[in-house]
């Protein structure tokens, strides 16, 4: 049966199971928006293409399904570069459809032409420029396959306008259903090598001071329950990186929380003093390792990852296991059970009591609020945490508020924490929250945002209101680009350069109201709880709470850039003289 | 001596699709891997092209180069060719100055290297030589004394040796 490119695009997106598209039309993608009217897919019309990209990411993080965005050529495609880069660094499965100028105009500097595949080559797992309409079904099928298998990531499909234009004879072709993939260079290895697994099991049984260093790969592989089984079976503590908050329950006795630059003391120091790191779906990011030559100096490394390029990239792996991390953990459990019949691990009671000692001595703390100060941001987060359901989804921007959110929330379920870890994209929180809410409408979704971040993407609250996606936004409004201010205070002699924002400009309450949301301002500690309760009650529109927080507050602990994790700075009240 | 140990020769089979060379070159650029030379052409099978890439070993840890290359969807196969287990060739074209009185020495030099004469004009001669990198380097050096007007080298191309087993 004869079809055309535009119809085929819709049909094949549906065939891939796409339920929601985030996008915004324009000239080059116009013909594809016409058959959309007859499609079963929901389209969420954004106010800026970057918003569509982050919504698709939020959707993917929350649901595990690929997020899909569709935008036009030129400036729309360049607006998509940030979310693509974000998805690339955080391994988020994303498929982005971009319109392109008509085939015959490519290369002529046509109106709204840009070299989309050239520009996005470095920020996608792969991209395609469609050259014939009949390729569309296969390319869409391949795009979803590449985005969702192996190490997930963003895939972009650039489609020239004429190939989806029903009036163009060249857009007509005999319809077909794509079967399989002709991708001879793409064969992700899923099954771990039993020999390596056995070596890893041996190392684990030999070690005296092991720690499980778990990363975002656990969530991507949907392996949180396997991780828990392994940790409990071995009785080994677990650190969860910023990308794996929720991948191991914070309320578990073996949980150490987040490591890294603003990780808690015990997580940072346990990695540092360990003799074995059981690294599962983590990649030794510089924000975790601190100065590399001082990182975990006595530790042997087991490194399990789906992407072999992570092995030995940053830190030498004594045992590297390529494969799906969930399968790897299952195999590891089996191998350990077998080995344990004849072998015993050394006594680890001293290591365990050392860890409990750290936990007791260096909990996360902050100064008590004093009269005349702004709200303590940590207090606001604790209140939010305690007043919302345990399975609330939390998104965040990038900065101090992000670190406090990761530190002070208790993530007890996977897929409850959604943030921009690798790229550190300010403006992520609001659209990611909207995307998450679209994916799991029954769950409460809170964005914990900074005032700086909020000003980058807040216009998507209009989208949220119109599309009936009642997300809730907590702005920790310290009137500063706070994280940068903190660095200037600590490392630039308190010389503050271009970091001051105005806490009351914009008027966040009015701004929220102008966008059809409920706006609430909170200035005093006793107003915090009632405001959150009020927000939790509202389910017919988004809510924005402008929490006026203390500008001078700093995030602790902190490992200064370029310093070793052994030089972690704790909260001033915990310093030993 | 060509610093053999300071470079690695990779033979990379890629899908013959538009933009593949840009993907490979872009990967090297953004990861800070330096390319010494790169040659590319279609293979016996028109679906694939073969690249010979000589990479600077110091800037580019071989394991990372290979694994990152392998992540490119269009890269099908990567072989590292050890000098002892492969045959490598490079082609040089050069237009050389032939000043009065130098004719005999120029010709002698060409004969010594068993180079070919491709084109002759007044006080100029175009020569070619294919050989391993050492030979080509030496030939280039020998031409410098006469004066090289223009030179183009192809970069190395290589194949695995035919195994005797
Ligand atoms: C798009 C982008 N631009 C700049 C930065 C650098 N940056 C990191 S944190 C930060 C400050 C964020 O300010 P705000 O949202 O108010 O959060 P706070 O640190 O005050 O909690 C800046 C500017 C960034 N991460 N992303
Ligand atoms: Mg701020």
């Amino acid at each position: 049966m004869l079809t055309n490119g535009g119809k085929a695009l819709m049909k094949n997106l549906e065939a891939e199971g796409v339920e929601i598209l985030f996008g915004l039309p324009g000239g080059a993608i116009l013909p594809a928006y016409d058959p959309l009217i007859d499609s079963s897919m929901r389209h969420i019309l954004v106010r800026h293409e970057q918003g569509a990209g982050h919504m698709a990411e939020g959707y993917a993080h929350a649901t595990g399904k690929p997020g899909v965005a569709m935008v036009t050529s030129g400036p729309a495609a360049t607006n998509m570069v940030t979310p693509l880069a974000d998805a690339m660094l955080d391994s988020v499965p994303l498929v982005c459809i971009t319109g392109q100028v008509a085939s015959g105009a490519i290369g002529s500097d046509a109106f709204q032409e840009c070299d989309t595949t050239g520009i996005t080559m470095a920020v996608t797992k792969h991209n395609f420029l469609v050259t014939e309409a009949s390729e569309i079904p296969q390319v869409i099928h391949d795009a979803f396959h590449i985005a969702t298998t192996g190490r997930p990531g963003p895939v972009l499909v650039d489609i020239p306008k004429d190939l989806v234009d029903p009036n163009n004879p060249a857009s007509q072709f005999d319809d077909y259903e794509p079967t399989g993939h002709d991708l001879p260079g793409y064969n992700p290895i899923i099954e771990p090598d039993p020999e390596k697994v056995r070596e890893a099991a041996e190392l684990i049984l030999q070690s005296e001071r092991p720690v499980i260093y778990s990363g975002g790969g656990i969530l991507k592989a949907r392996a949180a329950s396997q991780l828990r089984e392994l940790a409990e079976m071995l009785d080994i503590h677990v650190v969860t990186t910023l990308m794996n908050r929720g991948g191991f329950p914070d309320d578990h006795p073996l949980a150490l929380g987040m490591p890294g630059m603003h990780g808690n003391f015990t997580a940072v120091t346990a990695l540092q003093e360990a003799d074995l790191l059981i690294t599962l779906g983590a990649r030794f990011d510089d924000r975790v390792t601190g100065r590399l030559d001082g990182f975990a100096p006595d530790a042997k490394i087991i490194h399990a990852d789906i992407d072999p390029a992570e092995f030995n990239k940053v830190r030498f792996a004594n045992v590297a296991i390529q494969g799906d991390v969930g399968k790897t953990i299952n195999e590891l459990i089996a191998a350990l059970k077998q080995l344990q019949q004849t072998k015993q691990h050394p006594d680890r009671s001293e290591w365990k009591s050392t860890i409990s000692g750290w936990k007791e001595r260096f909990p996360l703390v902050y100064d008590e609020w004093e009269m005349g100060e702004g709200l303590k941001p940590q207090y606001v987060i604790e209140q939010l945490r305690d007043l919302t359901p345990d399975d609330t989804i939390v998104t965040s921007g990038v900065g101090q508020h992000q670190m406090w959110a990761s530190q002070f929330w208790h993530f007890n379920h996977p897929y409850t924490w959604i943030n921009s870890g690798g790229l550190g994209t300010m403006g992520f929180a609001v659209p990611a929250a909207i995307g998450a809410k679209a994916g799991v409408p029954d769950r409460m979704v809170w964005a914990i945002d900074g005032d700086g971040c909020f000003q980058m993407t807040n216009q998507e609250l209009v989208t949220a209101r119109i599309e009936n996606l009642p997300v809730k936004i907590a702005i920790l409004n310290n009137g500063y680009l706070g994280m940068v201010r903190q660095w200037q205070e600590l490392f630039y002699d308190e010389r503050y350069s271009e970091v001051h924002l105005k806490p009351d400009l914009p008027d966040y309450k009015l701004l929220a109201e102008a966008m059809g949301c409920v706006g609430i301002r909170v200035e005093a500690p006793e107003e915090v709880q009632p405001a959150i309760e009020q927000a939790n009650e509202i389910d017919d529109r988004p809510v924005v709470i402008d929490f006026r927080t203390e500008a001078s507050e700093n995030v602790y602990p902190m490992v200064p850039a370029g310093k070793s994790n052994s030089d972690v700075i704790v909260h001033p009240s915990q310093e030993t003289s | 001596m060509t610093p053999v140990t300071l470079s690695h020769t990779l033979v990379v089979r890629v899908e013959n699709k538009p933009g593949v060379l840009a993907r490979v070159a872009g990967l090297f650029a953004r990861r800070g891997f330096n390319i010494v030379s790169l040659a590319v052409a279609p293979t016996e099978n028109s679906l694939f092209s073969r690249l010979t890439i000589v990479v600077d070993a110091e800037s580019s840890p071989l394991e990372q180069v290979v694994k990152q290359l392998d992540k490119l969807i269009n890269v099908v196969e990567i072989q590292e060719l050890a000098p002892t287990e492969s045959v490598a060739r490079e082609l040089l074209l050069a237009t050389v100055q032939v000043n009065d009185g130098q004719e005999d020495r120029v010709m002698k030099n060409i004969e010594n290297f068993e180079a070919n004469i491709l084109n002759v004009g007044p006080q100029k001669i175009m020569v070619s030589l294919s050989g391993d990198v050492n030979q080509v380097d030496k030939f280039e050096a020998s031409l410098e004394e006469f004066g090289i007007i223009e030179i183009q080298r192809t970069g190395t191309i290589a194949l695995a040796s035919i195994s005797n087993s």
Side-chain angles (χ1 to χ4, degrees):
Chain A
M1 210 182 69
L2 217 57
T3 186
N4 66 56
K7 272 195 200 161
L9 176 61
M10 291 305 132
K11 180 181 155 193
N12 285 279
L13 289 172
E14 286 166 6
E16 296 297 330
V18 177
E19 287 166 354
I20 304 182
L21 295 170
F22 301 93
L24 193 151
I29 196 78
L30 253 171
Y33 266 81
D34 184 67
L36 178 65
I37 295 176
D38 306 320
S39 161
S40 63
M41 292 180 290
R42 176 180 182 188
H43 181 273
I44 291 180
L45 175 62
V46 299
R47 295 301 182 269
H48 187 295
E49 289 87 355
Q50 184 187 353
H54 293 320
M55 283 179 207
E57 287 187 273
Y59 175 91
H61 275 291
T63 63
K65 293 187 272 188
V68 185
M70 183 162 84
V71 301
T72 191
S73 65
T78 56
N79 279 345
M80 194 51 76
V81 170
T82 300
L84 289 171
D86 195 273
M88 186 69 179
L89 277 174
D90 285 346
S91 307
V92 184
L94 214 67
V95 172
C96 177
I97 314 289
T98 47
Q100 181 55 275
V101 301
S103 312
I106 290 179
S108 71
D109 303 313
F111 177 62
Q112 294 195 327
E113 179 180 5
C114 74
D115 175 9
T116 302
T117 48
I119 289 170
T120 59
M121 211 171 257
V123 294
T124 50
K125 183 172 174 185
H126 192 59
N127 60 22
F128 295 91
L129 172 60
V130 176
T131 54
E132 281 177 39
S134 63
E135 291 169 10
I136 289 174
Q138 187 64 51
V139 164
I140 294 298
H141 194 44
D142 290 347
F144 279 84
H145 177 61
I146 294 169
T148 55
T149 55
R151 181 177 183 164
V155 177
L156 179 139
V157 180
D158 199 26
I159 311 181
K161 181 175 187 177
D162 53 316
L163 303 186
V164 284
D165 176 4
N167 301 318
N168 171 26
S171 84
Q172 319 281 319
F173 63 95
D174 254 332
D175 199 9
Y176 65 96
E177 271 178 33
T179 48
H181 306 278
D182 182 18
L183 299 166
Y186 183 66
N187 303 298
I189 290 175
I190 305 301
E191 299 294 336
D193 175 352
E195 193 52 44
K196 298 281 179 198
V197 171
R198 208 189 146 76
E199 280 174 43
E202 302 258 4
L203 271 189
I204 291 172
L205 287 189
Q206 286 159 20
S207 82
E208 287 171 18
R209 303 188 308 279
V211 178
I212 295 174
Y213 160 30
S214 73
I218 292 289
L219 290 176
K220 297 294 160 11
R222 310 201 88 71
S225 62
Q226 290 97 312
L227 170 62
R228 183 173 179 155
E229 190 185 338
L230 178 73
E232 286 176 349
M233 173 189 150
L234 291 169
D235 197 23
I236 293 180
H237 287 93
V238 180
V239 306
T240 43
T241 67
L242 184 65
M243 292 312 294
N244 193 35
R245 305 288 293 124
F248 189 77
D250 277 334
D251 62 3
H252 195 286
L254 292 171
L256 298 182
M258 179 175 73
M261 181 174 266
H262 293 294
N264 73 70
F265 181 90
T266 310
V268 172
T269 311
L271 288 185
Q272 201 61 359
E273 304 289 318
D275 70 349
L276 178 69
L277 300 188
I278 306 165
T279 312
L280 304 173
R283 61 179 175 91
F284 299 91
D285 183 83
D286 56 84
R287 285 300 190 263
V288 167
T289 64
R291 206 185 72 222
L292 194 58
D293 60 9
F295 174 69
D298 301 331
K300 288 201 168 132
I301 307 291
I302 294 168
H303 196 171
D305 206 291
I306 190 107
D307 180 359
E310 293 302 340
F311 304 143
N312 309 324
K313 182 182 84 176
V314 174
R315 173 74 182 245
F316 173 75
N318 300 80
V319 179
I321 313 171
Q322 183 182 353
D324 174 86
V325 75
K327 285 185 192 269
T328 300
I329 296 173
N330 286 342
E331 297 300 315
L332 200 52
I333 289 170
L336 281 159
K337 281 190 176 148
Q338 226 206 350
L339 277 180
Q340 277 173 335
Q341 291 171 0
T342 52
K343 275 188 200 162
Q344 279 272 309
H345 63 73
D347 179 27
R348 291 172 182 158
S349 52
E350 202 185 313
W351 176 234
K352 289 212 181 90
S353 67
T354 306
I355 289 179
S356 345
W358 289 329
K359 272 185 154 181
E360 227 163 89
R361 241 190 94 199
F362 298 103
L364 288 166
V365 291
Y366 58 94
D367 291 326
E368 266 195 41
W369 178 81
E370 282 174 25
M371 206 54 177
E373 275 188 327
L375 300 167
K376 288 292 178 186
Q378 303 93 332
Y379 171 76
V380 173
I381 291 167
E382 286 176 335
Q383 289 296 302
L384 275 167
R385 174 194 73 197
D386 295 342
L387 294 168
T388 50
D390 201 36
D391 66 353
T392 298
I393 292 175
V394 183
T395 73
S396 92
V398 172
Q400 292 182 311
H401 62 282
Q402 173 193 31
M403 292 297 107
W404 286 317
S406 174
Q407 290 178 336
F408 286 90
W409 201 274
H410 295 159
F411 295 101
N412 294 327
H413 304 282
Y415 314 107
T416 51
W417 167 244
I418 297 174
N419 90 134
S420 165
L423 195 67
T425 307
M426 284 176 71
F428 181 80
V430 169
I434 296 168
K437 186 74 183 170
V440 276
D442 299 341
R443 300 262 293 279
M444 190 179 281
V445 180
W446 272 94
I448 296 178
D449 213 0
D451 48 330
C453 289
F454 183 77
Q455 290 187 70
M456 290 199 177
T457 50
N458 66 77
Q459 75 275 22
E460 298 307 342
L461 286 172
V462 175
T463 308
R465 173 65 208 269
I466 292 175
E467 293 285 342
N468 192 24
L469 296 167
V471 293
K472 305 176 200 308
I473 318 293
I475 307 173
L476 301 187
N477 178 5
N478 53 9
Y480 274 97
L481 299 170
M483 185 56 91
V484 184
R485 188 208 59 76
Q486 174 170 347
W487 283 56
Q488 291 178 348
E489 176 188 333
L490 299 176
F491 311 118
Y492 291 86
D493 292 330
E494 301 180 35
R495 283 162 54 85
Y496 298 114
S497 176
E498 304 298 328
V499 287
H500 187 46
L501 309 170
K502 283 218 165 300
D504 39 24
L505 195 69
D507 181 321
Y508 293 97
K509 184 175 180 312
L510 288 182
L511 180 59
E513 286 167 4
M515 291 189 285
C517 309
V518 175
I520 305 170
R521 176 168 305 128
V522 174
E523 285 166 310
E526 64 275 13
E527 296 164 12
V528 171
Q529 182 176 341
I532 294 169
E533 283 169 347
Q534 185 192 341
N536 284 346
E537 288 302 311
I538 298 168
D539 208 33
D540 64 342
R541 65 194 65 195
V543 186
V544 177
I545 309 183
D546 170 16
F547 290 104
R548 295 299 175 88
T549 59
E550 176 52 38
S552 64
E553 198 65 31
N554 285 336
V555 184
Y556 291 108
M558 174 173 200
V559 180
K563 286 282 175 75
S564 152
N565 282 353
S566 301
D567 301 324
V568 54
I569 302 170
V570 291
H571 187 271
S573 70
Q574 294 172 328
E575 277 168 18
T576 43
S577 43
Chain B
M1 272 295 292
T2 313
V4 194
T5 50
L6 293 183
S7 63
H8 301 291
T9 303
L10 299 177
V11 172
V12 183
R13 197 154 66 92
V14 298
E15 288 184 88
N16 191 1
K17 294 211 164 145
V20 172
L21 191 57
R23 289 180 200 277
V24 171
L27 171 74
F28 274 79
R30 69 177 175 267
R31 297 226 174 238
F33 306 149
N34 292 330
I35 299 178
V36 177
S37 72
L38 187 154
V40 54
T43 62
E44 68 286 354
N45 178 342
S46 65
L47 293 177
F48 300 103
S49 288
R50 183 174 273 122
L51 279 71
T52 303
I53 313 176
V54 180
V55 295
D56 163 37
E58 213 164 320
S59 72
S60 326
L62 185 66
E63 182 185 351
Q64 264 298 299
V65 177
V66 170
K67 286 177 171 174
Q68 293 296 348
L69 264 178
D70 202 35
K71 278 167 70 165
L72 296 179
I73 307 292
N74 299 130
V75 168
V76 179
E77 195 187 354
I78 305 162
Q79 263 181 301
E80 199 218 342
L81 293 185
T84 50
E85 288 156 22
S86 61
V87 177
R89 283 293 176 272
E90 180 168 3
L91 175 66
L92 169 152
L93 296 185
T95 304
V96 181
Q97 189 73 42
V98 188
N99 290 330
D100 289 343
Q102 294 274 29
E103 294 89 345
D104 285 356
R105 293 190 52 233
V106 170
M107 291 310 289
K108 184 92 191 130
N109 192 49
I110 291 169
E111 265 170 45
N112 281 347
F113 279 93
E114 297 181 27
N116 296 314
I117 297 169
L118 303 181
N119 201 208
V120 183
Q123 300 216 312
K124 284 177 194 166
I125 188 165
M126 191 192 293
V127 293
S128 79
L129 179 77
S130 102
D132 67 32
V133 177
N134 280 325
Q135 258 176 308
V136 177
D137 280 347
K138 280 186 196 152
F139 184 56
E140 182 180 341
S142 77
L143 297 177
E144 269 161 19
E145 100 168 78
F146 309 112
I148 298 170
I149 296 165
E150 269 190 314
I151 188 163
Q152 171 73 60
R153 294 171 63 157
T154 57
T156 299
I157 59 171
L159 289 178
S161 309
I162 298 165
S163 97
N164 288 322
S165 57

